[in-house]
Amino acid sequence: MPVRSSPKRAASSKKTNPAIEIPPINAKVRSLDNGLEVIVREDHQHPLVSVQVWVKAGSIHEEKWTGAGLAHCVEHMLFKGTWKRSPSDISQGIQNLGGYVNAYTTFNRTVYWIDGLAEHTEGYLDILSDMVRNSRFDAAELEKEQEVIRREMAMGNDDPNGALQHLVQATSFRQHPLRHPIIGHRAVFDQVSRDDVFGFVQRQYVPNNCFVVIAGAVDTDATFAAVEKLMGDWQRRPFEPILLPQEPKQVGTRVTHKNFATELTHLARGWQIPGDGHDDKAALDVLAFLLGSGRSSRLNQELRERRSIAHSTWAGAWGAQECGVFNTEVECDPANVAECHEAMLSVLHGLKAKGPTKDELSKAVRATLSGQLRTLSSTKGQAASLGHGWLATGSLDYSTHYLAKIRALTPNDIRDVARKYLLNDTCNVVSVGPAQSATTAAAIAARQQEPTQRFTLKNGLTLLVQENARLPLVSIRTSFLAGVTAETAANAGVTQISAALLLKGTKSRTAAQIAAELENRGGSLQCHADAHRYVLGADVVRGDEVQALGLIADLILHPSLPAAQLIEVKKRQLATLQEEKEDPLTVAMRCARREIFADEPFARTALGTEASIKALKVDDCRAMLKGSLSAQNGVISIVGDVKATAMRKLVEASFGKMAAGKKREIIDFPPAKKIKPVSHALKMEKEQAVLVIGFRSVGLHHPDSLILALIDEACSDMGSRLFNRIREELGLAYYVGAQQFAALGAGAFYFYVGTDPKKIDLALQEMLTQIQDLAKNGLTAAEIKRAKTAWKSSWLRSQQGNGGLADAYGWNEINGMGHDYLQKLPDLMAAISDKDIRRVAKAYLCKERAYIVRVEPEKSS
């Protein structure tokens, strides 16, 4: 959240750490005569805006219908039409203005927001105002949307993480409405009528219970005037705040388990804590950070790294204004449940006995500061931060006061809150898993970006640097070609496995030191691999780029690759493969992919297969790293508050001794001229049904790839023909859309539907009809215009952070398109014609070339 810090407070105790200042927020607030409060932050760095309407009503405000999910249902219904706009008028109107709309519901608020081009601020506000004030709540539309929500509930029932969250809530609370899921309970939800939903709106959606937040390239006074014009006549109505029940003090441990069809167990230990308004909240947040944030956190180090009994760990403090939950979570194999519980307690007891070290606390403070800085990278983040502070305290300076509390904390403060709240006798022990035994160019100019400077080191390593002094942040990304096409069936997944093994130590650093080095300074380290490359990078505060580059170079040049750790790395990748088998859409996508790319590398994913992962040895990892991590095969991209000449010297010092090697070949796999259609029917123990229709297309370098990306955009949003016909008109699906897979040398295009098992045949028939029409007639002029506008807005939003830019520059450079390809994209997209679209759709999306996969429940309900 944006705050102001003095240089004295922002400075680290170490001389190598420069003073860090958070730019002032400079937001203004006004109250209209009707009680509506309006917050405006003027920021002309990007030609973008975020317009948000905050309603101070969430799932805990549903009164006698608590647990019905009324607030969430209203969120859905506000997109279903007003007295002057149809649902398609809303979605297409926003897309015509280059906006992206969405909404979310939490325990204590519902927020509707549009991100887009600042020139259309009033247009976005007009649509949001109309939705909040004049939605029709048509009974027939409500009935259709209720079915959509039922499908959403079914999806939640298929998700072990969601099940764990709901079980933690239900176990930790007995009276307070926090015990109920935001989406509601199916049995109660099924009893809700149109009058019940509309009554909630009449009570809660009043100007004196709402506020508006607008952040971006706007004129403050003109924006206030626009809100007054569009919402000033919204009539104030009587509003009586809801009195929430006080949660009784817990006496004794509560233990709850839910059987769930999954191969992994999800554990949580939770405690009641005060809410966001309490003085202890800052200390509890830091305690959660120390326990569960990042690889150097105590839970991760003990359970994953030292004991190797958990696949993932997490901790958090969350809730509403008056009360909440502190919980620690672990994902593990069923055989390790007991040991994970014991290990969690051991970690907690350690903090309660001695508290954190000064270095740990310093890390938490610095991480909080850097997190606050990163919110300033996007208009959406600025608006969301302002909204959160205003809702919690009614102050635009909330983040300043919160950060002051964070900075004032001592190790003893953290120890004391752990002792105060994390008591064994008031712990809620929850688990979910297997049954347990008893025991565009104008826009670039507007963004005022510095040009990207390109250097080539003597060994052939490419360096890209873009100076951006707006915020004291620096992002570094190093990319090396590898991945699926560099692998074989025998060593599939070795790129990802070896990337994970890099973090287990170097000749001069232990795994724990690697994990903590940047996190202790409020930064983060990335080390991962995908289908095409290795990526090692860091996001740090200015002044820490020397440490970051040194650490990354050490990982690349001097990895120890300890054989003892390979087993655990493989174990976690195998667990990820098992997780994929639990998601019907992923299962269907993977099946279609194997058929489309049969006997080619991309039939596999970056994860590999169970057989290949089990067979991997350290020598396999060493060989892949040696063939990939070389200067000719790599690019380093740096974006942030740096000087290019200084960065060149640093990179030369760190990477000058890297072997030159050679660049990996990018192989083209053209689609077969004749394709025999294939259909698969799969069964899963899930409530939902999924349908995937896939087509072989072309790789990333092919000129048709960008045209397919535009078709993807047109078929994937809430204004698309697929959404309007299949979901809205016919009610055949909860979700429906398209997805382009554009790889180096090969590609595919998928259509997908999530539906009721009883409707899957109708959904398939209608989807094929829509695809056939697309292949025959292409897109309409309106669809093309909308897709291009939406693409442009998305393209702009993706460049608001240093990390995204550094990654895009490095990726485009290493795959041969050139780092400046990002800036060329708007002109290339604008040049696409309806004729181009018809040609491409006909060439790749004809029915005769379809690969169809359907996933249905084992037993139809």
Side-chain angles (χ1 to χ4, degrees), residues 80-144:
K80 308 309 294 182
T82 70
W83 293 105
K84 69 176 183 178
R85 287 181 172 93
S86 68
S88 61
D89 288 337
I90 293 173
S91 58
Q92 293 179 12
I94 293 169
Q95 287 148 19
N96 287 340
L97 298 177
Y100 175 79
V101 64
N102 216 324
Y104 67 89
T105 306
T106 71
F107 301 114
N108 62 353
R109 64 186 180 269
T110 307
V111 182
Y112 305 87
W113 53 274
I114 299 176
D115 287 350
L117 306 173
E119 60 191 280
H120 296 309
T121 298
E122 187 168 340
Y124 302 148
L125 184 63
D126 182 27
I127 296 174
L128 285 179
S129 173
D130 189 32
M131 291 168 60
V132 172
R133 299 176 57 186
N134 304 312
S135 287
R136 295 184 62 181
F137 288 89
D138 178 79
E141 287 290 344
L142 175 60
E143 185 175 345
K144 288 198 299 184

Side-chain angles (χ1 to χ4, degrees), residues 198-215:
F198 190 65
F200 179 83
V201 174
Q202 290 293 98
R203 294 189 300 274
Q204 300 291 336
Y205 281 55
V206 296
N208 35 316
N209 194 41
C210 302
F211 60 93
V212 174
V213 188
I214 300 174

Side-chain angles (χ1 to χ4, degrees), residues 98 119 244 257 272 409 446 460 501 515 522 558 575 756 768 780 785 861:
E119 60 191 280
L244 298 170
H257 174 79
Q272 293 180 22
L409 291 170
L501 201 56
H558 308 296
D756 187 315
L768 288 174
T780 66
K785 181 179 179 181
S861 58

